[in-house]
């Protein structure tokens, strides 16, 4: 069990090593780029809260640390809850909901999911897959953003919330299904594109 103010203690302590300093530097760069136009997240207070959640999580789970897309996930949580609650939800998403190594340094879990998604596109939409290949557009080029941010910066918030309801109940398979649905909806327009 975590101490009563585990989140506060993680936020309060100074960076313990050069890796933590480098992680915090990256978080500082990314916080300002995470929904800068949002009326809460674009404020100094909103950015400080987002920074606190990301720094605390990177200290909680040094194996995972921080990956850029985590900021969008944490930011979406912060829109609806206090920083400490967002921290614990982020921990549950990363450590229990997503596949192992999804957000670790090598992104092995994420890469496996993207490979599986690419295979699904090839099998179920062969014309579109061949079209992507002919134009040098690997599925990973656009799908990585979907998978890393769980669609937070790719869909309208009303849709993201519905997607998240399903992801939180059913897991990562929902991200695959939503990605496939987006490609199906856009297939005719994508096939009509001929620019490299």
């Amino acid at each position: 069990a975590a101490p009563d103010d585990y989140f506060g203690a993680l936020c309060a302590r100074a960076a313990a090593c050069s890796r933590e300093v480098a992680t915090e530097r990256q978080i500082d760069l990314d916080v300002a780029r995470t929904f800068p136009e949002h009326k809460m997240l674009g404020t100094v207070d909103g950015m400080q809260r987002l920074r606190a959640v990301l720094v605390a999580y990177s200290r909680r789970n040094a194996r995972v640390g921080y990956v850029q897309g985590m900021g969008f996930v944490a930011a979406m949580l912060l829109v609806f809850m206090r920083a400490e609650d967002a921290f614990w939800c982020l921990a549950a998403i990363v450590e229990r909901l997503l596949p192992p190594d999804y957000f670790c340094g090598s992104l092995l879990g994420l890469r496996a999911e993207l490979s599986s998604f690419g295979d699904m596109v090839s099998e179920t939409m062969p014309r579109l897959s061949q079209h992507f290949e002919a134009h040098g557009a690997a599925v990973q080029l656009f799908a990585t953003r979907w998978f890393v941010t769980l669609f937070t910066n790719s869909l309208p918030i009303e849709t993201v919330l519905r997607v998240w309801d399903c992801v939180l109940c059913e897991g990562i398979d929902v991200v695959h299904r939503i990605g496939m649905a987006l490609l199906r909806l856009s297939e005719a327009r994508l096939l009509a594109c001929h620019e490299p």
Side-chain angles (χ1 to χ4, degrees):
D4 285 345
D5 194 19
Y6 181 66
F7 173 71
L10 288 172
C11 291
R13 90 167 163 77
C17 62
S18 61
R19 184 177 39 110
E20 284 187 2
V21 170
T23 297
E24 290 179 31
R25 197 173 302 127
Q26 186 62 55
I27 289 170
D28 289 338
L29 290 172
D30 293 342
V31 162
R33 299 186 286 218
T34 306
F35 300 124
E37 303 300 317
H38 189 277
K39 73 178 185 179
M40 188 272 291
L41 297 168
T43 66
V44 171
D45 179 60
M47 288 188 272
Q48 287 173 341
R49 291 178 17 177
L50 179 56
R51 183 188 190 283
V53 170
L54 295 172
V55 167
Y57 186 77
S58 72
R59 291 176 179 173
R60 169 190 165 79
N61 190 337
R63 190 175 143 284
V64 170
Y66 169 73
V67 175
Q68 286 180 311
M70 290 170 70
F72 288 96
V73 175
M76 183 61 66
L77 295 167
L78 278 171
V79 169
F80 299 99
M81 58 188 75
R82 300 177 313 119
E84 183 173 3
D85 295 332
F87 162 78
W88 286 113
C89 284
L90 179 65
I93 289 168
V94 173
E95 297 168 14
R96 295 180 180 200
L97 184 71
L98 296 175
D101 298 327
Y102 194 82
F103 277 136
C104 74
S106 69
L107 301 174
L108 186 61
L110 173 65
R111 293 186 323 190
E113 294 299 324
L114 288 168
S115 177
S116 175
F117 183 71
D119 291 346
M120 288 172 60
V121 172
S122 294
E123 290 173 24
T124 60
M125 293 181 261
R127 282 186 57 220
L128 185 59
S129 179
Q130 291 166 357
H131 186 73
F132 285 153
E133 230 174 85
H135 290 86
V139 169
Q140 291 81 354
L141 290 174
F142 57 83
T144 298
R145 179 176 175 179
W146 297 344
F147 279 74
V148 169
T149 67
L150 303 177
F151 294 102
T152 56
N153 64 349
S154 302
L155 296 172
I157 190 164
E158 297 84 2
T159 307
V160 170
L161 295 176
R162 285 175 174 77
V163 168
W164 273 40
D165 283 345
C166 297
V167 169
L168 293 173
C169 289
E170 300 175 40
I172 194 69
D173 289 349
V174 172
V175 178
H176 289 267
R177 292 195 311 259
I178 298 299
M180 294 297 288
L182 289 173
L183 290 178
R184 279 237 187 271
L185 288 170
S186 305
E187 187 172 14
R189 285 186 310 182
L190 290 168
L191 288 170
C193 293
H194 296 291
E195 292 294 319

